[in-house]
Amino acid sequence: VGVLPVVAHEFMHQVQYELAADTPPRLRADGTLLLGPEWMVEGSAEFLELQFTSTPTLVEGPAFFNLQTPARRSRKTLEDLRENGSVASRSDYHVARFAALLLAQKHGGRALFDYFEALGRFGDQGLAFQSVFGEDMATFEARFEDLRRDYGAASAYGRE
């Protein structure tokens, strides 16, 4: 991986804080950080990183399969990767990246930015997710378990 993809990844984290008006970082009522879920924070940064590699914005065919495969192999669910710091291993990053990729393919890459903007506006992850992606976060997380294991369903998801 070249330097530019890594810089894009880290830049996305700064953009997330700015869009979510989360400087200094805010805490939710339960004491966890507002900026999250962690799979979305890291997944969207991974998606932006992909834009600076040879992977095209709309991923299809073998490239899509190659991104799906490591996510399919992981035993971690998106629910496991919600809390700050939970995306720790390369395998976790693969899961988070594939989730963000699916959302971007269905709603456009801009929607990943829109989520963080909505997070700043609402101060609630669930409301922000619902407003941008049109479904409950827990519903998407459950659906993702099927999508990451079924190539046909995952590739069709972006065309729904």
Side-chain angles (χ1 to χ4, degrees):
V1 175
V3 172
L4 190 54
V6 173
V7 170
H9 178 108
E10 297 306 324
F11 179 74
M12 181 59 169
H13 290 314
Q14 295 308 308
V15 170
Q16 292 163 348
Y17 281 112
E18 187 66 30
L19 290 175
D22 199 38
T23 304
R26 293 184 279 167
L27 295 177
R28 298 186 303 171
D30 65 2
T32 60
L33 292 173
L34 172 66
L35 197 66
E38 183 78 354
W39 66 260
M40 185 66 159
V41 171
E42 291 301 340
S44 60
E46 288 281 299
F47 176 80
L48 188 62
E49 184 177 325
L50 279 176
Q51 306 315 298
F52 291 89
T53 65
S54 60
T55 304
T57 301
L58 268 176
V59 183
E60 298 177 315
F64 186 82
F65 181 77
N66 290 339
L67 291 168
Q68 180 186 29
T69 299
R72 185 178 62 241
R73 289 182 180 150
S74 175
R75 294 180 189 263
K76 295 272 184 85
T77 66
L78 291 182
E79 190 174 350
D80 294 333
L81 301 175
R82 276 189 186 175
E83 297 305 318
N84 182 268
S86 60
V87 176
S89 70
R90 195 69 220 149
S91 175
D92 298 343
Y93 278 90
H94 289 301
V95 172
R97 178 178 57 205
F98 194 65
L101 173 68
L102 288 176
L103 290 169
Q105 298 237 134
K106 182 173 183 176
H107 301 279
R110 170 69 195 183
L112 300 177
F113 292 86
D114 293 344
Y115 167 78
F116 292 100
E117 189 173 52
L119 184 59
R121 197 169 54 251
F122 296 122
D124 181 278
Q125 293 174 5
L127 283 173
F129 195 89
Q130 177 74 44
S131 73
V132 173
F133 301 111
E135 68 181 307
D136 180 74
M137 186 186 302
T139 301
F140 172 76
E141 289 174 337
R143 187 175 189 188
F144 177 76
E145 289 308 302
D146 294 328
L147 295 174
R148 73 172 167 165
R149 287 174 173 74
D150 183 332
Y151 176 82
S155 57
Y157 178 79
R159 295 187 295 272
E160 288 181 351

